[in-house]
Amino acid sequence: MNILVLNVGSATLKFQVVATDGERIAGDQDAKLLRGQIERIGGESVITIRHADGSTRTRTASLRDMRAAVDWLVDHITSPESGTGLTARADIHAVGHRVVHGGEQFRSSVLVDDTVLQGIEDNVELAPLHNPHNLRGIEATRKALGTGVPQVAVFDTAFHHTLPEHAYIYAIPYPLYRRHRIRRYGFHGTSHRSIAYRFRKITGRERGEVRIVTLHLGNGCSACGIRDGVSIDTSMGFTPLEGLVMGTRSGDIDAALLDYIAAKEGLSLSQVEAMLNSQSGLLGISGLTNDMRDLLAEANELNDRRARLAIDIFCYRARKYIGAYLAALGGAEAIVFAGGVGENSPQIRARICEGMEWAGLHVDGTANAALVDGREGRFSTDGSSLHAWVVPTDEELLIARDTYRVVSGVPLPG
């Protein structure tokens, strides 16, 4: 089945075309036919296409809105130039959408119908920066491909619905949860689920044999404690702002700071919240950038104090969460790194793992240095009782597989 996977933002459209049977093709190698992204939708858009042979092409096109972007994409996918082998719109059998927030209603991936669309809209107030764009992507795809092509919503929050009540309830007056569903939802669930699945495959373990801490480290960052294949705790909460230090997000802070900063700086609470989301984290501490590669260069080559401080805080917070989740899990067999930073920065991985010999983790520096550019593997020593791995996340593949299963009526993994 040929699946078009879409991840829609305010002015961006990330996409991938995957041929899959929902589990594996030729030994767990699904056919990834095309991937890329369209940026600056609403004007002269920049389109980056990565073909199956590894070649990349960048072009521009005038795309006035998301409908125009999806139309352009579908036309390209079904053209000889794309190299996908798809020649007509009918060759796109289904579409899978990343949807950020499913609230308490959506606990797994679902076939999109009018009821599901209403449910996604009902959760807009929980994800006002994401769900409206996800809805626009679904509507644009309906118009481009017709209502006969099934669409599936895969929710970022769904994986964390296994959190026990004591992990997701905030210590605030309980009626606030009952009235407004104020609770910890968690995010990056599709990524954490993908990492856990791949870890089981490469280590040959069954779901019930796995206790791991996964770290999705990119511009957005989160940690997750996984036992028996399910999430038992995660660092992001009611919004993606809670938890680890991120590129531009503060992560955990004292809640009283919001009112204090507002009073001192003459800002509204919504302005303070915007500051914590878009001007804080690595960017806020360093005053330079939210890009870890640039911060490492500044620290290593120029010995910039604030760049070093930003890196120190980032790694310390991640290590602190690892310790918390080792306690919550009752011990674990591995820490698994993923995401742009987690997959490509041996220096950050080593820094996060510093001082964890007490837990049985000993880093093999040579193995760690080799794990970049999409390579997966273990970088702890053979004698470690707590191991460290790099397992690149593949959210698009998981979305494609879920889409196949939902459309075909195959049960989703438990």
Side-chain angles (χ1 to χ4, degrees):
M1 183 180 288
N2 299 320
I3 310 292
L4 172 59
V5 177
L6 298 180
N7 181 355
V8 178
S10 59
T12 62
L13 174 61
K14 296 179 182 178
F15 59 87
Q16 188 165 162
V17 182
V18 180
T20 182
D21 61 2
E23 181 64 21
R24 60 181 59 87
I25 292 178
D28 208 20
Q29 294 297 314
D30 301 77
K32 299 178 181 180
L33 306 180
L34 190 77
R35 68 184 305 168
Q37 62 183 8
I38 304 175
E39 301 174 281
R40 302 178 189 171
I41 296 169
E44 192 67 12
S45 303
V46 178
I47 305 165
T48 304
I49 307 286
R50 297 177 182 87
H51 298 274
D53 63 5
S55 63
T56 300
R57 180 179 178 184
T58 301
R59 61 171 67 181
T60 60
S62 182
L63 303 173
R64 67 184 182 278
D65 55 22
M66 192 57 63
R67 168 68 193 279
V70 172
D71 273 332
W72 185 96
L73 176 60
V74 170
D75 285 342
H76 179 76
I77 289 170
T78 55
S79 70
E81 179 187 1
S82 72
T84 61
L86 282 59
T87 59
R89 293 192 172 204
D91 291 334
I92 300 173
H93 301 135
V95 182
H97 295 268
R98 175 184 180 244
V99 179
V100 168
H101 215 307
E104 291 194 321
Q105 179 179 355
F106 298 109
R107 296 172 175 265
S108 63
S109 303
V110 295
L111 190 67
V112 173
D113 57 19
D114 289 342
T115 301
V116 170
L117 286 173
Q118 184 60 55
I120 297 172
E121 188 169 345
D122 289 343
N123 288 310
V124 161
E125 66 177 358
L126 296 177
L129 301 179
H130 297 94
N131 275 28
H133 307 309
N134 301 152
L135 283 167
R136 277 194 281 275
I138 293 171
E139 292 291 353
T141 306
R142 270 189 172 184
K143 292 173 181 175
L145 294 176
T147 57
V149 176
Q151 300 190 64
V152 172
V154 180
F155 298 93
D156 245 12
T157 51
F159 182 60
H160 301 302
H161 272 291
T162 51
L163 265 62
E165 192 174 32
H166 63 256
Y168 72 72
I169 291 292
Y170 287 112
I172 59 177
Y174 190 76
L176 292 175
Y177 164 65
R178 297 296 297 271
R179 288 199 297 267
H180 308 298
R181 296 304 177 197
I182 298 173
R183 51 161 286 177
R184 303 182 67 249
Y185 288 98
F187 299 88
H188 288 157
T190 309
S191 177
H192 289 294
R193 184 177 149 210
S194 168
I195 300 162
Y197 171 81
R198 182 60 188 161
F199 178 80
R200 294 200 309 271
K201 297 298 290 185
I202 60 181
T203 58
R205 286 169 168 79
E206 299 296 327
R207 291 171 65 92
E209 299 174 327
V210 174
R211 284 187 300 175
I212 58 176
V213 178
T214 53
L215 293 173
H216 177 110
L217 304 178
N219 189 49
C221 301
S222 64
C224 185
I226 298 175
R227 181 193 295 130
D228 301 336
V230 301
S231 172
I232 63 101
D233 206 346
T234 191
S235 56
M236 286 179 168
F238 181 69
T239 75
L241 182 58
E242 185 179 356
L244 305 179
V245 171
M246 307 176 218
T248 64
R249 295 186 186 121
S250 65
D252 295 339
I253 63 165
D254 185 335
L257 277 175
L258 275 73
D259 190 60
Y260 186 83
I261 293 171
K264 291 293 185 181
E265 295 291 321
L267 301 173
S268 67
L269 288 178
S270 62
Q271 287 174 317
V272 175
E273 183 181 347
M275 176 193 297
L276 297 177
N277 272 294
S278 62
Q279 301 171 43
S280 301
L282 295 174
L283 174 62
I285 299 164
S286 71
L288 296 170
T289 178
N290 63 320
D291 191 313
M292 183 61 80
R293 294 166 296 186
D294 294 337
L295 288 175
L296 286 169
E298 290 287 335
N300 295 337
E301 299 168 16
L302 302 176
N303 198 31
D304 185 278
R305 188 189 74 82
R306 283 175 58 185
R308 284 190 289 106
L309 179 61
I311 294 167
D312 287 345
I313 295 172
F314 180 92
C315 295
Y316 174 74
R317 183 76 61 85
R319 186 163 58 250
K320 188 163 73 168
Y321 263 91
I322 291 171
Y325 288 167
L326 290 176
L329 290 165
E333 62 179 302
I335 301 163
V336 188
F337 290 82
V341 176
E343 295 168 23
N344 295 298
S345 182
Q347 187 174 346
I348 293 299
R349 294 194 298 259
R351 290 282 300 277
I352 290 173
C353 294
E354 275 180 7
M356 294 204 64
E357 292 81 8
W358 66 270
L361 173 58
H362 302 270
V363 170
D364 181 328
T366 302
N368 184 32
L371 294 173
V372 293
D373 299 328
R375 296 184 180 92
E376 64 183 15
R378 177 167 61 87
F379 64 94
S380 50
T381 62
D382 290 341
S384 296
S385 55
L386 173 65
H387 287 288
W389 285 76
V390 175
V391 176
T393 187
D394 198 337
E395 297 174 75
E396 291 84 5
L397 177 58
L398 188 147
I399 291 170
R401 287 177 170 176
D402 267 19
T403 300
Y404 171 87
R405 293 173 182 133
V406 170
V407 171
S408 302
V410 177
L412 292 169

